[in-house]
Amino acid sequence: MIRIKSLTKIYHSNGIDIKALDNVNLNIEKGDIFGIIGPSGAGKSTLIRCINMLEKPTYGSIEIDGVEMTKLSPAELKEMRKKVGIIFQHFNLLSSRTVKGNVAFPLEIAGLDKKTIDNRVKELLALVGLSNKANSYPSQLSGGQKQRVGIARALANNPKVLLCDEATSALDPETTLSILNLLKDINREFGITIVVVTHEMNVVKQICNKVAVMEKGRIVEQGLLVEIFANPKSKIAQNFLRSLTFSELPEELKDKIRNLHRGHLEWKIVKINFFGEVTAEPILTSVIKKFDVDINVLYGNIDHIQGIPYGTLIVELRGNNKIEGVLRYLQELGLEVEVIGNV
């Protein structure tokens, strides 16, 4: 569906070349919900703007549904963009138009007749759950409702690809979840390929089946989401997963972990990540029996990603010279083990 090869984007500023994208290669299959994650400045938004040619690449190729985007004439590009919808972080709605008028706008530009436009707008507003807001203005809507209008507008021309540029960053967690569920429903019902750009690992976890991790304009890791979660190879992916774990910890527990680490250097605070079937195994019981150590569970959580269970345990180990043996044993079982120095 989307083939990106050797994509490079260089900006020129005050005589200095700034490489926003550096030899990016991606293969996004039809029907994927593909996540692109990275910190601010990683090149995520530049990449998504290059995909629909809002930014012209310096080098490289972008192929969508068999069409090479970089070789299109302005008229051909205008037609091709109808196949590529985009939703934005800050909604980009027209404040002077009603909800109905905003969704109708791309259809009007396409030159469709009024009856066709009215019927299509009704379908779209029903799809996103806003039939009762057709005559409201953006100023009268919540953030989640504005983004639903943005989604309806992006779907107006029946696109094959939907690009989401930090589409939930301005929303609260509950609203974010409702928007992600809507996008999943759209993907499932219509088979639309969705590309999600975000700096939030939790968004990727909730919706994507594949993910690419960006840093300093480059793709440093990509693959199936479950594989990245189970065995992140790049430092940046490991940091994203670590931030996902520790963002869930209560502050009082973080304080306890810090104090334990400072006050008892002979003890160790250890984070253990479980993935798949091992999640159900009595690992800690076997450790206690085998090594005769004391284990104090400070935090535990089990969640699911695409139906596969994964979990995190944070434990305090006391056992002096036996602790290193415990850590090796856990690693031999295939668990990801990290001695925590700070949180």
Side-chain angles (χ1 to χ4, degrees), residues 321-337:
N321 58 345
K322 298 179 181 179
I323 292 180
E324 293 302 324
V326 171
L327 299 180
R328 285 194 298 272
Y329 173 70
L330 292 173
Q331 290 168 339
E332 289 168 2
L333 292 175
L335 302 175
E336 181 185 334
V337 181

Side-chain angles (χ1 to χ4, degrees), residues 3-9 21-26 57-62:
R3 306 281 185 271
I4 298 174
K5 296 180 181 178
S6 305
L7 189 65
T8 299
K9 176 63 180 180
L21 296 175
D22 186 3
N23 195 36
V24 170
N25 294 277
L26 279 179
T58 307
Y59 309 111
S61 66
I62 303 164

Side-chain angles (χ1 to χ4, degrees), residues 68 72 96 174 188 201 225 232 288 295 312 334:
E68 175 53 57
L72 297 179
S96 61
E174 184 177 351
R188 184 166 49 246
M201 197 65 187
L225 180 63
I288 293 170
I295 299 179
T312 299

Side-chain angles (χ1 to χ4, degrees), residues 3 10-12 20 25-26 44 129 131 134 167 180-181 190 207-208 216 220 228 230 233 248 272 289 310 319 328 337:
R3 306 281 185 271
I10 300 173
Y11 293 104
H12 305 284
N25 294 277
L26 279 179
K44 308 183 300 297
S131 295
L180 295 179
N181 285 334
F190 302 106
I207 192 174
C208 300
K216 297 179 180 178
V220 295
I228 301 294
K233 294 181 173 61
E248 299 170 354
I272 306 168
K289 289 180 178 178
Y310 73 95
R328 285 194 298 272
V337 181

Side-chain angles (χ1 to χ4, degrees), residues 126-175:
L127 175 67
V128 300
L130 290 178
S131 295
N132 63 337
K133 297 290 184 181
N135 296 314
S136 299
Y137 286 87
S139 61
Q140 299 170 305
L141 303 179
S142 67
Q145 290 169 335
K146 290 177 183 178
Q147 196 56 284
R148 286 172 180 268
V149 177
I151 293 171
R153 181 182 59 187
L155 296 174
N157 285 309
N158 292 304
K160 295 184 177 182
V161 175
L162 182 60
L163 307 177
C164 306
D165 189 6
E166 297 281 8
T168 60
S169 295
L171 306 176
D172 62 76
E174 184 177 351
T175 306

Side-chain angles (χ1 to χ4, degrees), residues 73-89:
S73 68
E76 291 170 332
L77 183 58
K78 180 181 177 181
E79 284 301 307
M80 190 62 191
R81 280 185 177 142
K82 293 178 183 178
K83 297 182 179 181
V84 185
I86 186 166
I87 58 176
F88 302 92
Q89 177 181 1

Side-chain angles (χ1 to χ4, degrees), residues 165-193:
D165 189 6
E166 297 281 8
T168 60
S169 295
L171 306 176
D172 62 76
E174 184 177 351
T175 306
T176 291
L177 184 58
S178 72
I179 294 297
L180 295 179
N181 285 334
L182 174 60
L183 291 174
K184 284 193 286 188
D185 290 343
I186 290 168
N187 169 261
R188 184 166 49 246
E189 184 172 350
F190 302 106
I192 295 175
T193 303

